[in-house]
Amino acid sequence: MTFAARLSGRTGYRVYLKREDLAHTGAHKINNTVGQVLLAKRLGKERIIAETGAGQHGVATATACALFGLPCVVYMGEEDTRRQAVNVTRMQLLGAEVVPVTQGSATLKEAINEALRDWAATVRTTHYVIGSVVGPHPFPELVRDLQRVIGDEARSQYDEREGTDPDVVAACVGGGSNAMGMFTAFVGSGARIVGVEAGGRGTVLGEHCSSLTLGEPGVLHGALSYLLQDANGQIAGTHSISAGLDYPGVGPEHSYLKDAGLAEYVSATDADALAGFSELARTEGILPALEPAHVIGWLLHKPLPEGSSVLVCLSGRGDKDLETVRQALAGGSAS
């Protein structure tokens, strides 16, 4: 955990960062993949499949498979293979087969579709290492419990530093694994829990990924949750500058936290994410992934009482996003 002194001065808050960007492979995803691959070995499964959006879950799964000597297939939307080409190469170097998915918007939703089809046809020999708190039971619970190390560590570390809980705990939310891992330790603690979704280019359907703030309940990938859908219940297109948040739904437990009033959800735009990325780089010397950069961008609007203590899950590092950021800041296409 890092106290972000200069960012704190910029925002007027006391900002601490839970540094999942320093985990092996560069994101929180490794917490889940090592646990699930160990489970797969215990179950006697001979093959691992996964889906990925930003590529960090695919890299983490490929890493765990290399460690334990299991074959690995990663489904990735064709659009995401282009904007996350560096991570495609990393997965291939680790021995994984990367399968581009061309259907639909060719992003995370379609990658999950293909992985579920594969798993349904090969379940006797294959374990599907799903990357977020989405999909059919027991995946949301399984991923939550493997990721709750984030919040358990952060709460203990924060108490050691400050002798109390933070006023606010914040994390970015796409499918929601880093956020659920962080939030689980703080539900009922008295801390204000805030999830920041990808607001994309605006509030028009198809231009954002704000399923909790702008969506309606529906069923996707075997779970009831908040979704982005049209008047006929068809899943809508999405947009986010961050491939890891580019998903039209969210984990069912996040939907429960929203309905129960245990957490609140807001959105931050592509422009906010770029501002957050640049600000953290210049004030703290940290290049964040575009996903948690949404949280930093939200904080720059100063939405909280002055002097609040804020614990942010910095879920990944920004190496994978440098070309996207470069193009966006130069005025070119970012997605």
Side-chain angles (χ1 to χ4, degrees):
M1 192 176 69
T2 299
F3 176 61
R6 295 190 64 218
L7 180 65
S8 296
R10 168 74 172 81
T11 60
Y13 308 135
R14 287 181 55 78
V15 181
Y16 282 89
L17 306 174
K18 178 65 172 78
R19 299 294 306 278
E20 293 299 302
D21 61 310
L22 297 180
H24 185 50
T25 70
H28 68 292
K29 296 295 189 180
I30 196 72
N31 303 328
N32 173 47
T33 61
V34 169
Q36 286 211 52
V37 172
L38 283 169
L39 175 63
K41 286 182 69 68
R42 178 68 176 267
L43 293 170
K45 298 302 176 73
E46 303 166 0
R47 173 176 175 264
I48 299 295
I49 62 171
E51 91 297 327
T52 196
Q56 290 300 108
H57 174 63
V59 169
T61 305
T63 299
C65 288
L67 177 63
F68 293 110
L70 289 172
C72 178
V73 175
V74 179
Y75 291 95
M76 190 173 190
E78 188 176 49
E79 171 65 19
D80 291 337
T81 65
R82 286 194 290 269
R83 56 180 172 176
Q84 298 294 333
V86 170
N87 273 342
V88 172
T89 301
R90 291 173 76 193
M91 286 182 271
Q92 291 170 336
L93 288 171
L94 289 161
E97 177 188 356
V98 180
V99 179
V101 179
T102 59
Q103 289 88 354
S105 62
T107 55
L108 181 57
K109 175 174 70 71
E110 285 71 30
I112 295 175
N113 289 346
E114 288 304 307
L116 285 170
R117 289 187 183 104
D118 183 328
W119 185 52
T122 62
V123 67
R124 290 188 180 277
T125 58
T126 299
H127 179 68
Y128 176 15
V129 179
I130 204 163
S132 199
V133 286
V134 299
H137 179 74
F139 284 119
E141 182 179 6
L142 174 63
V143 177
R144 178 201 68 196
D145 288 349
L146 290 171
Q147 290 293 2
R148 69 167 295 152
V149 64
I150 299 171
D152 290 343
E153 286 180 348
R155 191 172 186 188
S156 175
Q157 291 163 347
Y158 192 91
D159 182 67
E160 185 177 327
R161 290 286 294 271
E162 298 287 340
T164 185
D165 287 322
D167 296 324
V168 180
V169 177
C172 63
V173 179
S177 64
N178 90 95
M180 188 54 64
M182 176 69 100
F183 294 170
T184 297
F186 290 94
V187 170
S189 70
R192 181 178 172 187
I193 297 175
V194 182
V196 183
E197 297 188 291
R201 294 183 287 240
T203 58
V204 175
L205 194 63
E207 294 292 295
H208 61 82
C209 302
S210 302
S211 54
L212 283 161
T213 52
L214 296 173
E216 298 290 339
V219 175
L220 176 64
H221 296 141
L224 174 64
S225 64
Y226 278 89
L227 306 176
L228 297 174
Q229 51 196 321
D230 64 21
N232 297 316
Q234 297 300 304
I235 302 301
T238 55
H239 163 78
S240 174
I241 194 171
S242 58
L245 302 183
D246 200 346
Y247 182 66
V250 68
E253 288 175 301
H254 282 293
S255 300
Y256 168 74
L257 292 182
K258 169 186 166 72
D259 284 351
L262 296 171
E264 59 188 280
Y265 296 88
V266 299
S267 64
T269 65
D270 288 353
D272 293 332
L274 287 168
F277 183 101
S278 298
E279 193 69 26
L280 194 62
R282 292 169 183 169
T283 60
E284 299 295 338
I286 298 170
L287 296 176
L290 279 170
E291 289 80 8
H294 283 74
V295 184
I296 307 301
W298 173 71
L299 288 175
L300 294 177
H301 289 291
K302 301 186 177 182
L304 305 171
E306 187 172 355
S308 296
S309 59
V310 186
L311 177 58
V312 175
C313 183
L314 195 70
S315 57
R317 67 183 184 223
D319 309 43
K320 66 185 179 61
D321 295 318
L322 292 182
E323 181 59 22
T324 298
V325 171
R326 186 193 67 78
Q327 290 185 30
L329 295 179
S333 173
S335 62

